Amino acid sequence: SQQGEEDPQALSIQEGENATMNCSYKTSINNLQWYRQNSGRGLVHLILIRSNEREKHSGRLRVTLDTSKKSSSLLITASRAADTASYFCATDYSSASKIIFGSGTRLSIRP
Amino acid sequence: GAVVSQHPSWVICKSGTSVKIECRSLDFQATTMFWYRQFPKQSLMLMATSNEGSKATYEQGVEKDKFLINHASLTLSTLTVTSAHPEDSSFYICSATPWERGQETQYFGPGTRLLVL
């Protein structure tokens, strides 16, 4: 099934630094969502951005969407050790509300 | 609000047996639930869309006779892995979308880890 690509696959940064993850997708979308998954656990919904939106903020998170380039980015500012997790973008492109996940970025925050 | 539970959280079974996983929306009604599978260090792969009162829609490459889905009510969907084999060992996650219109967010269950020996 269609799947977005994320880069980098893995990212290791120092605590306090900003982390940026990118997501590219293939077809037109209704919205794009970002999720966090701690190791071996369920998913936590972070933020949803609709196709007619370009930028959205939520606390230390900033998401951008460029539908002309079919890409999105997730910025986490002032990273903390608790941000260590895998981050996935997911695109809603159908009328059935089903979403397809990207390949994910594994983020490690060094103390 | 918007809590989704899964049961069991983990299960170990012998090869050839069948395993049933339940997905429940605890505080909302869900006309649609989704089932995903995740192998270690990989992303979530959508297996099927479960619609209350009708047959599930399976993604390409997913065997419907092996992964039986039943969505008997607006709060419960079950996934049965029939004749499980070691290659079916994985993390199975369900999600649900609320009945109300305009709800775009899916709410995910905590997942069920299946180990087939």
Side-chain angles (χ1 to χ4, degrees), chain A residues 48-61:
Chain A
L48 180 152
I49 186 165
R50 295 185 178 85
S51 59
N52 62 352
E53 297 176 313
R54 293 295 167 260
E55 188 170 312
K56 210 161 183 180
H57 297 255
S58 177
R60 294 184 295 113
L61 306 180

mmCIF file with all atom_site columns, all heavy atoms in Angstrom, chain A residues 48-61:
data_model
loop_
_atom_site.group_PDB
_atom_site.id
_atom_site.type_symbol
_atom_site.label_atom_id
_atom_site.label_alt_id
_atom_site.label_comp_id
_atom_site.label_asym_id
_atom_site.label_entity_id
_atom_site.label_seq_id
_atom_site.pdbx_PDB_ins_code
_atom_site.Cartn_x
_atom_site.Cartn_y
_atom_site.Cartn_z
_atom_site.occupancy
_atom_site.B_iso_or_equiv
_atom_site.pdbx_formal_charge
_atom_site.auth_seq_id
_atom_site.auth_comp_id
_atom_site.auth_asym_id
_atom_site.auth_atom_id
_atom_site.pdbx_PDB_model_num
ATOM 1   N N   . LEU A 1 48 ? -2.489  17.349 13.659 1.00 0.00 ? 48 LEU A N   1
ATOM 2   C CA  . LEU A 1 48 ? -3.094  17.129 12.345 1.00 0.00 ? 48 LEU A CA  1
ATOM 3   C C   . LEU A 1 48 ? -3.085  18.434 11.583 1.00 0.00 ? 48 LEU A C   1
ATOM 4   O O   . LEU A 1 48 ? -3.447  19.478 12.142 1.00 0.00 ? 48 LEU A O   1
ATOM 5   C CB  . LEU A 1 48 ? -4.527  16.625 12.521 1.00 0.00 ? 48 LEU A CB  1
ATOM 6   C CG  . LEU A 1 48 ? -5.373  16.333 11.270 1.00 0.00 ? 48 LEU A CG  1
ATOM 7   C CD1 . LEU A 1 48 ? -6.401  15.254 11.582 1.00 0.00 ? 48 LEU A CD1 1
ATOM 8   C CD2 . LEU A 1 48 ? -6.076  17.581 10.741 1.00 0.00 ? 48 LEU A CD2 1
ATOM 9   N N   . ILE A 1 49 ? -2.686  18.393 10.329 1.00 0.00 ? 49 ILE A N   1
ATOM 10  C CA  . ILE A 1 49 ? -2.706  19.580 9.493  1.00 0.00 ? 49 ILE A CA  1
ATOM 11  C C   . ILE A 1 49 ? -3.493  19.249 8.237  1.00 0.00 ? 49 ILE A C   1
ATOM 12  O O   . ILE A 1 49 ? -3.280  18.215 7.596  1.00 0.00 ? 49 ILE A O   1
ATOM 13  C CB  . ILE A 1 49 ? -1.268  20.067 9.183  1.00 0.00 ? 49 ILE A CB  1
ATOM 14  C CG1 . ILE A 1 49 ? -1.313  21.393 8.425  1.00 0.00 ? 49 ILE A CG1 1
ATOM 15  C CG2 . ILE A 1 49 ? -0.441  19.016 8.438  1.00 0.00 ? 49 ILE A CG2 1
ATOM 16  C CD1 . ILE A 1 49 ? 0.034   22.125 8.402  1.00 0.00 ? 49 ILE A CD1 1
ATOM 17  N N   . ARG A 1 50 ? -4.438  20.094 7.923  1.00 0.00 ? 50 ARG A N   1
ATOM 18  C CA  . ARG A 1 50 ? -5.300  19.860 6.777  1.00 0.00 ? 50 ARG A CA  1
ATOM 19  C C   . ARG A 1 50 ? -4.624  20.315 5.494  1.00 0.00 ? 50 ARG A C   1
ATOM 20  O O   . ARG A 1 50 ? -3.693  21.113 5.507  1.00 0.00 ? 50 ARG A O   1
ATOM 21  C CB  . ARG A 1 50 ? -6.644  20.564 6.970  1.00 0.00 ? 50 ARG A CB  1
ATOM 22  C CG  . ARG A 1 50 ? -7.440  19.995 8.133  1.00 0.00 ? 50 ARG A CG  1
ATOM 23  C CD  . ARG A 1 50 ? -8.835  20.618 8.241  1.00 0.00 ? 50 ARG A CD  1
ATOM 24  N NE  . ARG A 1 50 ? -9.563  20.002 9.344  1.00 0.00 ? 50 ARG A NE  1
ATOM 25  C CZ  . ARG A 1 50 ? -9.469  20.398 10.604 1.00 0.00 ? 50 ARG A CZ  1
ATOM 26  N NH1 . ARG A 1 50 ? -8.695  21.410 10.913 1.00 0.00 ? 50 ARG A NH1 1
ATOM 27  N NH2 . ARG A 1 50 ? -10.153 19.776 11.546 1.00 0.00 ? 50 ARG A NH2 1
ATOM 28  N N   . SER A 1 51 ? -5.149  19.859 4.375  1.00 0.00 ? 51 SER A N   1
ATOM 29  C CA  . SER A 1 51 ? -4.515  20.137 3.084  1.00 0.00 ? 51 SER A CA  1
ATOM 30  C C   . SER A 1 51 ? -4.530  21.624 2.743  1.00 0.00 ? 51 SER A C   1
ATOM 31  O O   . SER A 1 51 ? -3.709  22.092 1.949  1.00 0.00 ? 51 SER A O   1
ATOM 32  C CB  . SER A 1 51 ? -5.194  19.344 1.967  1.00 0.00 ? 51 SER A CB  1
ATOM 33  O OG  . SER A 1 51 ? -6.565  19.684 1.890  1.00 0.00 ? 51 SER A OG  1
ATOM 34  N N   . ASN A 1 52 ? -5.455  22.381 3.339  1.00 0.00 ? 52 ASN A N   1
ATOM 35  C CA  . ASN A 1 52 ? -5.511  23.821 3.043  1.00 0.00 ? 52 ASN A CA  1
ATOM 36  C C   . ASN A 1 52 ? -4.747  24.655 4.074  1.00 0.00 ? 52 ASN A C   1
ATOM 37  O O   . ASN A 1 52 ? -4.812  25.887 4.049  1.00 0.00 ? 52 ASN A O   1
ATOM 38  C CB  . ASN A 1 52 ? -6.955  24.300 2.955  1.00 0.00 ? 52 ASN A CB  1
ATOM 39  C CG  . ASN A 1 52 ? -7.711  24.119 4.252  1.00 0.00 ? 52 ASN A CG  1
ATOM 40  O OD1 . ASN A 1 52 ? -7.214  23.494 5.183  1.00 0.00 ? 52 ASN A OD1 1
ATOM 41  N ND2 . ASN A 1 52 ? -8.925  24.653 4.314  1.00 0.00 ? 52 ASN A ND2 1
ATOM 42  N N   . GLU A 1 53 ? -4.034  23.991 4.958  1.00 0.00 ? 53 GLU A N   1
ATOM 43  C CA  . GLU A 1 53 ? -3.217  24.689 5.951  1.00 0.00 ? 53 GLU A CA  1
ATOM 44  C C   . GLU A 1 53 ? -1.759  24.562 5.594  1.00 0.00 ? 53 GLU A C   1
ATOM 45  O O   . GLU A 1 53 ? -1.331  23.569 4.977  1.00 0.00 ? 53 GLU A O   1
ATOM 46  C CB  . GLU A 1 53 ? -3.475  24.113 7.354  1.00 0.00 ? 53 GLU A CB  1
ATOM 47  C CG  . GLU A 1 53 ? -4.919  24.310 7.825  1.00 0.00 ? 53 GLU A CG  1
ATOM 48  C CD  . GLU A 1 53 ? -5.181  23.638 9.168  1.00 0.00 ? 53 GLU A CD  1
ATOM 49  O OE1 . GLU A 1 53 ? -4.794  22.455 9.329  1.00 0.00 ? 53 GLU A OE1 1
ATOM 50  O OE2 . GLU A 1 53 ? -5.792  24.285 10.034 1.00 0.00 ? 53 GLU A OE2 1
ATOM 51  N N   . ARG A 1 54 ? -0.978  25.522 5.985  1.00 0.00 ? 54 ARG A N   1
ATOM 52  C CA  . ARG A 1 54 ? 0.452   25.525 5.644  1.00 0.00 ? 54 ARG A CA  1
ATOM 53  C C   . ARG A 1 54 ? 1.333   25.335 6.868  1.00 0.00 ? 54 ARG A C   1
ATOM 54  O O   . ARG A 1 54 ? 2.456   24.829 6.745  1.00 0.00 ? 54 ARG A O   1
ATOM 55  C CB  . ARG A 1 54 ? 0.820   26.833 4.946  1.00 0.00 ? 54 ARG A CB  1
ATOM 56  C CG  . ARG A 1 54 ? 0.180   26.960 3.588  1.00 0.00 ? 54 ARG A CG  1
ATOM 57  C CD  . ARG A 1 54 ? 0.705   25.892 2.632  1.00 0.00 ? 54 ARG A CD  1
ATOM 58  N NE  . ARG A 1 54 ? -0.108  25.804 1.419  1.00 0.00 ? 54 ARG A NE  1
ATOM 59  C CZ  . ARG A 1 54 ? -1.024  24.881 1.229  1.00 0.00 ? 54 ARG A CZ  1
ATOM 60  N NH1 . ARG A 1 54 ? -1.271  23.966 2.148  1.00 0.00 ? 54 ARG A NH1 1
ATOM 61  N NH2 . ARG A 1 54 ? -1.723  24.848 0.097  1.00 0.00 ? 54 ARG A NH2 1
ATOM 62  N N   . GLU A 1 55 ? 0.838   25.755 8.013  1.00 0.00 ? 55 GLU A N   1
ATOM 63  C CA  . GLU A 1 55 ? 1.658   25.645 9.216  1.00 0.00 ? 55 GLU A CA  1
ATOM 64  C C   . GLU A 1 55 ? 0.738   25.514 10.417 1.00 0.00 ? 55 GLU A C   1
ATOM 65  O O   . GLU A 1 55 ? -0.350  26.074 10.461 1.00 0.00 ? 55 GLU A O   1
ATOM 66  C CB  . GLU A 1 55 ? 2.536   26.895 9.351  1.00 0.00 ? 55 GLU A CB  1
ATOM 67  C CG  . GLU A 1 55 ? 3.572   26.819 10.455 1.00 0.00 ? 55 GLU A CG  1
ATOM 68  C CD  . GLU A 1 55 ? 4.554   27.979 10.371 1.00 0.00 ? 55 GLU A CD  1
ATOM 69  O OE1 . GLU A 1 55 ? 5.068   28.254 9.273  1.00 0.00 ? 55 GLU A OE1 1
ATOM 70  O OE2 . GLU A 1 55 ? 4.796   28.607 11.425 1.00 0.00 ? 55 GLU A OE2 1
ATOM 71  N N   . LYS A 1 56 ? 1.231   24.754 11.400 1.00 0.00 ? 56 LYS A N   1
ATOM 72  C CA  . LYS A 1 56 ? 0.453   24.581 12.619 1.00 0.00 ? 56 LYS A CA  1
ATOM 73  C C   . LYS A 1 56 ? 1.404   24.407 13.790 1.00 0.00 ? 56 LYS A C   1
ATOM 74  O O   . LYS A 1 56 ? 2.475   23.808 13.650 1.00 0.00 ? 56 LYS A O   1
ATOM 75  C CB  . LYS A 1 56 ? -0.458  23.367 12.498 1.00 0.00 ? 56 LYS A CB  1
ATOM 76  C CG  . LYS A 1 56 ? -1.739  23.463 13.285 1.00 0.00 ? 56 LYS A CG  1
ATOM 77  C CD  . LYS A 1 56 ? -2.762  22.484 12.758 1.00 0.00 ? 56 LYS A CD  1
ATOM 78  C CE  . LYS A 1 56 ? -4.065  22.639 13.514 1.00 0.00 ? 56 LYS A CE  1
ATOM 79  N NZ  . LYS A 1 56 ? -5.089  21.695 13.027 1.00 0.00 ? 56 LYS A NZ  1
ATOM 80  N N   . HIS A 1 57 ? 0.998   24.946 14.943 1.00 0.00 ? 57 HIS A N   1
ATOM 81  C CA  . HIS A 1 57 ? 1.830   24.865 16.132 1.00 0.00 ? 57 HIS A CA  1
ATOM 82  C C   . HIS A 1 57 ? 1.064   24.182 17.240 1.00 0.00 ? 57 HIS A C   1
ATOM 83  O O   . HIS A 1 57 ? -0.154  24.317 17.354 1.00 0.00 ? 57 HIS A O   1
ATOM 84  C CB  . HIS A 1 57 ? 2.219   26.270 16.599 1.00 0.00 ? 57 HIS A CB  1
ATOM 85  C CG  . HIS A 1 57 ? 3.045   27.030 15.622 1.00 0.00 ? 57 HIS A CG  1
ATOM 86  N ND1 . HIS A 1 57 ? 4.399   27.229 15.780 1.00 0.00 ? 57 HIS A ND1 1
ATOM 87  C CD2 . HIS A 1 57 ? 2.708   27.626 14.455 1.00 0.00 ? 57 HIS A CD2 1
ATOM 88  C CE1 . HIS A 1 57 ? 4.856   27.940 14.760 1.00 0.00 ? 57 HIS A CE1 1
ATOM 89  N NE2 . HIS A 1 57 ? 3.855   28.192 13.935 1.00 0.00 ? 57 HIS A NE2 1
ATOM 90  N N   . SER A 1 58 ? 1.808   23.465 18.074 1.00 0.00 ? 58 SER A N   1
ATOM 91  C CA  . SER A 1 58 ? 1.229   22.887 19.280 1.00 0.00 ? 58 SER A CA  1
ATOM 92  C C   . SER A 1 58 ? 2.344   22.740 20.299 1.00 0.00 ? 58 SER A C   1
ATOM 93  O O   . SER A 1 58 ? 3.180   21.846 20.198 1.00 0.00 ? 58 SER A O   1
ATOM 94  C CB  . SER A 1 58 ? 0.587   21.521 18.997 1.00 0.00 ? 58 SER A CB  1
ATOM 95  O OG  . SER A 1 58 ? 0.095   20.939 20.190 1.00 0.00 ? 58 SER A OG  1
ATOM 96  N N   . GLY A 1 59 ? 2.376   23.652 21.253 1.00 0.00 ? 59 GLY A N   1
ATOM 97  C CA  . GLY A 1 59 ? 3.445   23.624 22.246 1.00 0.00 ? 59 GLY A CA  1
ATOM 98  C C   . GLY A 1 59 ? 4.809   23.756 21.589 1.00 0.00 ? 59 GLY A C   1
ATOM 99  O O   . GLY A 1 59 ? 5.071   24.716 20.871 1.00 0.00 ? 59 GLY A O   1
ATOM 100 N N   . ARG A 1 60 ? 5.682   22.762 21.790 1.00 0.00 ? 60 ARG A N   1
ATOM 101 C CA  . ARG A 1 60 ? 7.024   22.805 21.196 1.00 0.00 ? 60 ARG A CA  1
ATOM 102 C C   . ARG A 1 60 ? 7.058   22.220 19.785 1.00 0.00 ? 60 ARG A C   1
ATOM 103 O O   . ARG A 1 60 ? 8.121   22.083 19.193 1.00 0.00 ? 60 ARG A O   1
ATOM 104 C CB  . ARG A 1 60 ? 8.000   22.021 22.093 1.00 0.00 ? 60 ARG A CB  1
ATOM 105 C CG  . ARG A 1 60 ? 8.232   22.659 23.459 1.00 0.00 ? 60 ARG A CG  1
ATOM 106 C CD  . ARG A 1 60 ? 9.292   21.894 24.278 1.00 0.00 ? 60 ARG A CD  1
ATOM 107 N NE  . ARG A 1 60 ? 8.852   20.554 24.623 1.00 0.00 ? 60 ARG A NE  1
ATOM 108 C CZ  . ARG A 1 60 ? 9.418   19.444 24.141 1.00 0.00 ? 60 ARG A CZ  1
ATOM 109 N NH1 . ARG A 1 60 ? 10.444  19.513 23.298 1.00 0.00 ? 60 ARG A NH1 1
ATOM 110 N NH2 . ARG A 1 60 ? 8.967   18.262 24.508 1.00 0.00 ? 60 ARG A NH2 1
ATOM 111 N N   . LEU A 1 61 ? 5.909   21.879 19.272 1.00 0.00 ? 61 LEU A N   1
ATOM 112 C CA  . LEU A 1 61 ? 5.834   21.285 17.943 1.00 0.00 ? 61 LEU A CA  1
ATOM 113 C C   . LEU A 1 61 ? 5.409   22.307 16.900 1.00 0.00 ? 61 LEU A C   1
ATOM 114 O O   . LEU A 1 61 ? 4.528   23.119 17.140 1.00 0.00 ? 61 LEU A O   1
ATOM 115 C CB  . LEU A 1 61 ? 4.821   20.136 17.928 1.00 0.00 ? 61 LEU A CB  1
ATOM 116 C CG  . LEU A 1 61 ? 4.984   19.027 18.952 1.00 0.00 ? 61 LEU A CG  1
ATOM 117 C CD1 . LEU A 1 61 ? 3.882   17.990 18.773 1.00 0.00 ? 61 LEU A CD1 1
ATOM 118 C CD2 . LEU A 1 61 ? 6.352   18.390 18.867 1.00 0.00 ? 61 LEU A CD2 1
#
